[in-house]
Amino acid sequence: QVQLVESGGGLVQAGGSLRLSCAASASIFSINRMGWYRQAPGKQRELVAVFSSGSITNYADSVKGRFTMSRDDAKNTVYLQMNSLKPEDTAVYYCNAYKMGLNYWGKGTLVTVSS
């Protein structure tokens, strides 16, 4: 089982930056895939960025060039650096881990971008 704890959300003005963190209870090396998703009010949850084995990171078109996902293996933590934030980035951001056929989710952290 993998527990995930997100942090770093908050209120920021458009054009600003935030860095989200996701601490995992298991070694990142043992996790097949880790990613960030978000869910805006009234919308479905969508993929933001995903990091899979082989060090491949894929991003949603809407965040390419603005968001960067990274990892610290020693801390079992992944990060989402979000720059040039837009009001449409407002959402609850969730960390996801896929391991041995099971999906694990954190409780989410709220990001609010004001115009």
Side-chain angles (χ1 to χ4, degrees):
Q1 196 168 11
V2 180
Q3 294 180 331
L4 304 169
V5 179
E6 303 100 334
S7 61
L11 174 65
V12 63
Q13 288 188 334
S17 299
L18 281 175
R19 189 178 80 155
L20 305 183
S21 301
C22 172
S25 62
S27 169
I28 292 179
F29 288 114
S30 70
I31 298 174
N32 303 104
R33 186 178 68 235
M34 291 196 72
W36 287 96
Y37 290 73
R38 67 185 181 186
Q39 187 166 17
K43 295 188 177 181
Q44 289 188 334
R45 191 171 297 187
E46 63 176 3
L47 173 70
V48 176
V50 62
F51 184 95
S52 58
S53 57
S55 301
I56 297 172
T57 306
N58 293 305
Y59 297 92
D61 288 342
S62 59
V63 307
K64 281 181 181 177
R66 300 189 297 122
F67 291 11
T68 303
M69 185 174 176
S70 61
R71 58 192 283 174
D72 185 332
D73 296 336
K75 296 182 178 179
N76 294 327
T77 299
V78 296
Y79 304 95
L80 185 67
Q81 178 66 44
M82 305 185 295
N83 299 328
S84 301
L85 283 161
K86 305 176 181 179
E88 51 263 44
D89 294 318
T90 295
V92 177
Y93 284 71
Y94 297 91
C95 183
N96 169 266
Y98 179 79
K99 178 180 178 180
M100 297 181 67
L102 295 176
N103 265 308
Y104 300 92
W105 295 92
K107 294 183 178 181
T109 184
L110 177 63
V111 172
T112 304
V113 184
S114 63
S115 57

